[in-house]
Amino acid sequence: MKKQLFTFAFALMSFCAFSRSFSLQVVQKNTPGDQIFDSSYVVEQTILDHFFDRGMIVSNNAVLVSKDDAAKDKTDLRRSMIEAKIGSMDLFVKLSLNYSVLDSANPTAILLSNIKSADLEIVSLDENKTICKGKFTPPALTDLNNNRSGVEDFAADIANKIQAELAERGGAI
């Protein structure tokens, strides 16, 4: 029994020593007004759940709505990065969701058709440098994926990319 407990404790400590923690910041772009769309929340929650279910330490900040004010956007992101660093996170993951809702019959609905693309940037907080960038476009629209499930699948693809990048850089998943 003592040997099993020691083995378990050693395995847990080894995992914790090599795992990486991160803070997720979702930025909503190209949307009218200040309302945070439900799709942004679904993407955020899907990514957080992906890593939480794998035992990673993840946190998030409130979804930001980007406006045509680069200085304010930069200030908001800087504040989020500082909070992540204070929270002892290793990485800052910025995910910008680029919406295309001008022609949408229901712009605030959880529809894959409302999301044009997503830009990913992973920043090492210790080094204060970008370690990864990526761009994602949703799959071709069908009657089967232009709904909440399609948005969740798109977010899961992004989570898998983040996971692959962290694994490549030595972070346990």
Side-chain angles (χ1 to χ4, degrees):
M1 179 68 171
K2 223 177 191 184
K3 187 175 182 180
Q4 288 175 333
L5 184 60
F6 176 74
T7 302
F8 174 74
F10 180 74
L12 182 63
M13 288 187 298
S14 296
F15 174 78
C16 291
F18 295 108
S19 66
R20 304 196 70 186
S21 59
F22 71 86
S23 180
L24 175 66
Q25 178 64 69
V26 173
V27 179
Q28 179 177 296
K29 291 183 157 189
N30 307 320
T31 57
D34 292 329
Q35 178 183 4
I36 299 171
F37 289 4
D38 288 339
S39 293
S40 295
Y41 290 125
V42 168
V43 169
E44 177 185 57
Q45 195 60 54
T46 300
I47 293 171
L48 291 173
D49 288 347
H50 175 93
F51 289 100
F52 182 77
D53 291 346
R54 286 157 179 77
M56 277 196 72
I57 299 170
V58 293
S59 70
N60 65 306
N61 291 304
V63 174
L64 294 176
V65 177
S66 177
K67 293 296 169 197
D68 292 329
D69 185 349
K72 182 176 180 341
D73 289 350
K74 188 174 181 178
T75 299
D76 290 342
L77 283 172
R78 186 77 183 132
R79 185 178 307 118
S80 294
M81 288 179 78
I82 290 169
E83 289 174 9
K85 197 164 190 164
I86 290 171
S88 299
M89 296 290 132
D90 297 315
L91 303 168
F92 182 77
V93 176
K94 175 186 155 196
L95 183 67
S96 297
L97 295 174
N98 304 302
Y99 283 83
S100 178
V101 295
L102 292 177
D103 297 329
S104 177
N106 193 351
T108 61
I110 304 172
L111 298 173
L112 190 60
S113 60
N114 288 338
I115 301 173
K116 179 180 175 184
S117 64
D119 297 312
L120 173 70
E121 181 177 6
I122 302 175
V123 176
S124 168
L125 291 172
D126 290 339
E127 301 168 24
N128 196 27
K129 77 174 197 180
T130 299
I131 61 172
C132 172
K133 283 188 175 188
K135 185 168 187 86
F136 301 88
T137 53
L141 293 173
T142 67
D143 290 339
L144 298 175
N145 73 358
N146 195 23
N147 52 32
R148 181 187 191 99
S149 179
V151 173
E152 289 171 343
D153 290 345
F154 179 57
D157 289 344
I158 295 169
N160 286 326
K161 172 66 172 169
I162 296 169
Q163 179 178 342
E165 288 297 327
L166 294 179
E168 184 178 307
R169 287 167 172 71
I173 303 295

